[in-house]
C-alpha cells in the first residue's frame, strides 16, 4: 500500500471498513459471547471497556448490560471520536494522525483546504456508511437498539495511550485520561543462547531492525532488501533483523529471525540504534530503554510517530519508498555517532516518567470512579447532544450572514437609486441644449 501511494483514508474505504465489520461479526458469533449476551443470560458486569476505533456495533454491549462504557485507544484519538464527542477536529494539526504526513504548523492554504475536504468527506462516509452498517450488525444479534451514535455519546471516559510529551498540545475533553508504556515489562523474557552470544560479542555494539508485527521485512522489494544488506555489511556494528523468511545473501554481521523479544533486545546495554516502522508501542519501548531511532513509517499513525521523532530530535525519519543507499548509511552514522540523539531521548524519558502518580494505578482509580459515580455523566460534554449546526453556531452564522447581506444589498440599492435620481436632476450640458434646439 505504501509503495502504491495508498493513504490511510484510502485504505479505510478500500478494505478496512469491511474488515472491521467482519471483526465485529466474529465477536458476536463467538460461542462464549453468545452465551453472555443471550436474552436468558444472567451475566452481570460493572463496566464495559472496549477499543474505540471503527467498530461501533461493539459499543452496543454497554446498552445490552446497561452499564457504563470506557473507551480505549491504543494509537491516539480517531477524528470520528472527537467529532461524535464534540471535541475539536483539526484536519491539519500535527496531532491528527489519520492525515499521516499531511499535517504541520505552517501549511499553505491549498494544503489546508485539501486536508479539510478529505477529513470532512471521511466524516460524511462514517455517518453515511459505517454507522448504519454497524447498526444492522448489532441489531441482528441483540434486537432493536438505540442509534449507535447515541450509545457512543454515552461513553463515560476515554483512556488514550498517548504521552502528553509526545503529543502536540490541543484541547482535551474532561473525561479523557492519557497514559503511556502500559505494556512494558519490568522483567523481559530471556533471549535464545545463540542470539545472546551474538549481541554480547558485538564489540562496537549492534543495531536492531524490525518493522513490527503487521509490516514484514520479507515483503520489501528485492532491490531495497539488497540495499539494506549492502549497507549493513559495511558497518562495524552487528545487526539483529526481524525477517520473516530465510534472508538470502545475509551478511556475516546480520542475525535474522521471524520473531524477537523486542523489549529484551532494546534493554541490552550494547544496542546503538533501533530501525523501526514507528508503531506506538515500539516508540514507547525505545523511549523507555533510551535507544535512538531511524523511522520508516508505513501505515496509519506511524507517520505521526515519525514526525514526532523528528520534531523532538531523538531520531531521524526516512521514506521507505524512496530511501537511497547514501541517505540510509548517512542516517545510521549520524544517529549513532551524534551524542545529542541519545541525550534527547534520555531527556524525553525523564519527562515522561515525571508524573505525580503511577499511570496504571491512575487508570484503575478512574475505572473504579466511573463505577462509583454511575458512569460519571458530569464529565461528558453537553455539546455531544446538540445538533451539529447548533454546536458550530451555523444557524447564527447563517442569520448574521443573511442580515449582513440584506443590509449591504439594501445600502447598495439605495446608493444606486440616489445616484440615478441625482443624474436625472442634473441640469443639461451645453452640448445637450444645442442638440435639443
Amino acid at each position: 500500500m505504501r509503495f502504491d501511494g495508498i493513504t490511510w483514508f484510502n485504505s479505510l474505504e478500500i478494505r478496512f471498513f469491511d474488515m472491521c465489520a467482519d471483526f465485529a461479526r466474529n465477536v458476536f458469533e463467538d460461542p462464549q459471547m453468545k452465551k453472555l449476551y443471550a436474552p436468558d443470560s444472567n451475566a452481570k458486569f460493572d463496566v464495559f471497556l472496549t477499543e474505540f476505533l471503527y467498530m461501533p456495533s461493539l459499543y452496543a454491549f454497554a446498552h445490552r448490560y446497561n452499564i457504563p462504557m470506557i473507551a480505549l485507544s491504543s494509537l491516539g484519538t480517531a477524528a470520528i471520536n472527537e467529532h461524535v464527542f464534540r471535541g475539536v477536529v483539526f484536519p491539519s494539526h500535527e496531532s491528527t494522525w489519520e492525515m499521516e504526513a499531511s499535517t504541520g504548523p505552517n501549511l499553505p492554504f491549498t494544503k489546508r483546504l485539501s486536508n479539510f475536504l478529505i477529513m470532512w468527506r471521511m466524516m460524511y462516509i462514517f455517518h453515511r456508511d459505517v454507522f448504519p452498517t454497524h447498526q444492522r450488525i448489532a441489531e441482528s444479534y441483540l434486537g432493536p437498539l438505540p442509534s449507535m451514535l447515541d450509545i457512543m455519546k454515552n461513553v463515560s471516559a476515554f483512556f488514550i495511550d498517548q504521552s502528553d510529551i509526545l503529543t502536540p498540545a490541543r484541547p482535551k475533553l474532561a473525561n479523557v485520561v492519557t497514559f503511556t508504556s502500559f505494556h512494558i515489562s519490568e522483567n523481559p523474557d530471556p533471549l535464545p543462547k545463540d542470539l545472546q552470544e551474538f549481541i554480547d560479542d558485538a564489540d562496537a555494539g549492534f543495531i536492531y531492525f524490525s518493522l513490527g508485527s503487521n509490516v514484514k521485512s520479507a515483503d520489501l522489494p528485492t532491490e531495497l532488501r539488497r540495499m539494506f544488506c549492502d549497507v549493513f555489511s559495511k558497518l562495524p556494528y552487528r545487526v539483529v533483523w526481524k525477517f520473516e523468511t530465510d534472508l538470502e545473501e545475509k551478511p556475516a554481521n546480520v542475525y535474522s529471525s521471524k520473531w524477537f523479544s523486542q523489549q529484551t533486545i532494546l534493554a541490552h546495554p550494547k544496542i546503538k540504534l533501533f530501525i523501526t516502522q514507528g508503531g506506538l508501542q515500539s516508540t514507547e519501548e525505545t523511549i523507555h530503554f533510551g535507544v535512538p531511532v531511524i523511522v520508516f513509517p508505513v501505515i496509519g499513525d506511524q507517520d505521526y510517530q515519525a514526525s514526532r521523532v523528528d520534531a523532538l530530535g531523538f531520531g531521524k525519519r526516512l521514506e521507505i519508498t524512496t530511501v537511497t543507499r547514501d541517505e540510509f548509511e548517512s542516517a545510521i552514522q549520524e544517529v549513532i555517532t551524534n551524542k545529542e540523539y541519545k541525550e534527547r531521548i534520555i531527556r524525553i524519558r525523564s519527562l515522561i516518567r515525571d508524573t505525580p502518580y503511577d499511570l496504571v494505578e491512575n487508570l484503575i482509580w478512574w475505572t473504579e470512579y466511573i463505577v462509583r459515580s454511575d458512569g460519571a455523566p458530569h464529565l461528558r460534554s453537553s455539546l455531544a447532544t446538540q445538533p451539529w449546526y447548533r454546536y458550530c453556531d451555523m444557524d447564527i452564522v447563517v442569520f448574521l450572514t443573511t442580515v449582513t447581506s440584506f443590509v449591504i444589498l439594501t445600502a447598495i440599492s439605495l446608493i444606486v437609486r440616489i445616484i440615478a435620481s441625482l443624474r436625472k436632476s442634473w441640469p443639461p450640458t451645453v452640448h445637450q441644449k444645442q442638440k435639443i434646439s
Side-chain angles (χ1 to χ4, degrees):
M1 290 167 56
R2 186 80 176 191
F3 281 89
D4 290 339
I6 298 174
T7 67
W8 175 250
F9 281 147
N10 292 152
S11 71
L12 291 182
E13 289 190 76
I14 294 170
R15 67 180 67 176
F16 201 63
F17 284 151
D18 290 337
M19 290 170 60
C20 287
D22 289 338
F23 294 158
R25 291 188 187 97
N26 286 336
V27 172
F28 281 106
E29 288 287 348
D30 182 84
Q32 296 289 358
M33 289 300 299
K34 281 187 172 182
K35 291 179 182 178
L36 290 177
Y37 68 73
D40 59 348
S41 170
N42 59 359
K44 297 184 183 299
F45 302 97
D46 296 309
V47 66
F48 174 54
L49 294 92
T50 184
E51 178 88 12
F52 256 51
L53 196 53
Y54 306 128
M55 291 180 280
S57 55
L58 299 185
Y59 313 158
F61 288 121
H63 181 269
R64 163 65 180 81
Y65 298 113
N66 191 28
I67 53 176
M69 176 167 54
I70 295 178
L72 308 173
S73 177
S74 58
L75 43 69
T77 307
I80 185 61
N81 295 332
E82 288 280 5
H83 177 57
V84 171
F85 300 150
R86 291 297 186 257
V88 186
V89 177
F90 295 116
S92 292
H93 193 260
E94 304 99 297
S95 63
T96 307
W97 64 265
E98 290 159 297
M99 298 304 300
E100 297 177 297
S102 299
T103 63
N106 299 305
L107 298 180
F109 171 79
T110 53
K111 186 63 177 176
R112 290 186 289 112
L113 176 61
S114 174
N115 289 346
F116 182 90
L117 295 175
I118 291 171
M119 176 62 76
W120 288 105
R121 176 180 176 276
M122 188 54 56
M123 295 298 102
Y124 169 72
I125 290 173
F126 272 108
H127 288 276
R128 184 195 68 187
D129 298 335
V130 177
F131 285 112
T133 295
H134 282 264
Q135 186 82 32
R136 291 191 293 271
I137 291 173
E139 290 187 341
S140 68
Y141 294 99
L142 300 179
L145 293 165
S147 75
M148 291 297 104
L149 271 173
D150 288 341
I151 293 175
M152 187 174 175
K153 290 175 183 178
N154 282 330
V155 70
S156 297
F158 202 171
F159 294 171
I160 303 177
D161 187 354
Q162 194 170 61
S163 168
D164 291 335
I165 306 301
L166 297 180
T167 311
R170 60 176 290 165
K172 287 195 298 190
L173 295 168
N175 58 353
V176 168
V177 181
T178 58
F179 65 97
T180 186
S181 306
F182 183 86
H183 69 291
I184 295 179
S185 173
E186 294 299 325
N187 299 296
D189 297 330
L191 296 175
K193 184 179 179 181
D194 58 338
L195 175 57
Q196 187 71 54
E197 292 175 353
F198 181 81
I199 59 179
D200 285 344
D201 294 340
D203 295 333
F206 73 95
I207 296 169
Y208 176 52
F209 184 11
S210 171
L211 294 179
S213 55
N214 293 312
V215 181
K216 293 179 171 57
S217 293
D219 291 337
L220 295 174
T222 303
E223 298 79 12
L224 186 58
R225 298 202 306 266
R226 286 175 179 167
M227 185 272 282
F228 285 151
C229 286
D230 288 345
V231 171
F232 291 152
S233 67
K234 295 177 174 63
L235 295 175
Y237 316 103
R238 293 189 173 184
V239 178
V240 177
W241 189 353
K242 179 182 173 291
F243 201 91
E244 297 73 23
T245 60
D246 292 333
L247 180 57
E248 298 178 2
E249 302 176 6
K250 182 172 65 175
N253 65 332
V254 173
Y255 182 108
S256 66
S257 178
K258 64 177 65 176
W259 185 86
F260 291 109
S261 177
Q262 181 163 293
Q263 294 184 34
T264 311
I265 291 175
L266 293 175
H268 196 282
K270 287 193 174 183
I271 190 168
K272 297 291 185 181
L273 171 68
F274 179 21
I275 303 174
T276 172
Q277 88 288 6
L280 177 60
Q281 278 69 50
S282 290
T283 303
E284 291 175 332
E285 290 170 9
T286 203
I287 292 173
H288 179 85
F289 295 108
V291 183
V293 291
I294 289 176
V295 184
F296 286 110
V298 178
I299 191 172
D301 67 317
Q302 295 167 10
D303 274 286
Y304 165 75
Q305 305 299 336
S307 68
R308 299 310 298 156
V309 167
D310 252 354
L312 296 170
F314 62 90
K316 293 185 73 68
R317 170 194 183 136
L318 298 177
E319 174 51 53
I320 201 165
T321 61
T322 60
V323 64
T324 64
R325 181 190 310 269
D326 291 342
E327 186 182 17
F328 184 49
E329 187 171 3
S330 175
I332 291 174
Q333 296 294 353
E334 167 71 11
V335 176
I336 291 179
T337 59
N338 188 337
K339 294 182 180 179
E340 291 184 1
Y341 291 95
K342 182 74 170 182
E343 292 169 354
R344 291 191 192 108
I345 199 167
I346 296 300
R347 169 64 176 163
I348 291 167
R349 180 177 69 183
S350 299
L351 291 173
I352 289 176
R353 291 179 176 179
D354 189 3
T355 60
Y357 43 73
D358 179 271
L359 296 181
V360 176
E361 292 295 331
N362 187 51
L363 293 181
I364 294 171
W365 184 89
W366 275 105
T367 303
E368 294 175 344
Y369 176 77
I370 294 301
V371 175
R372 291 197 303 269
S373 60
D374 297 323
H378 55 284
L379 295 179
R380 301 173 203 163
S381 172
S382 59
L383 295 173
T385 58
Q386 294 187 6
W388 69 269
Y389 65 86
R390 190 178 300 171
Y391 161 68
C392 297
D393 283 339
M394 290 306 299
D395 50 349
I396 295 175
V397 171
V398 170
F399 172 77
L400 292 177
T401 301
T402 303
V403 170
T404 303
S405 299
F406 176 78
V407 171
I408 292 174
L409 292 174
T410 301
I412 292 174
S413 175
L414 181 60
I415 292 171
V416 170
R417 290 182 181 182
I418 292 173
I419 292 174
S421 176
L422 289 175
R423 290 194 60 169
K424 288 180 181 179
S425 63
W426 286 343
T429 62
V430 174
H431 175 73
Q432 290 173 322
K433 289 180 179 180
Q434 291 174 350
K435 190 174 182 180
I436 294 173
S437 65

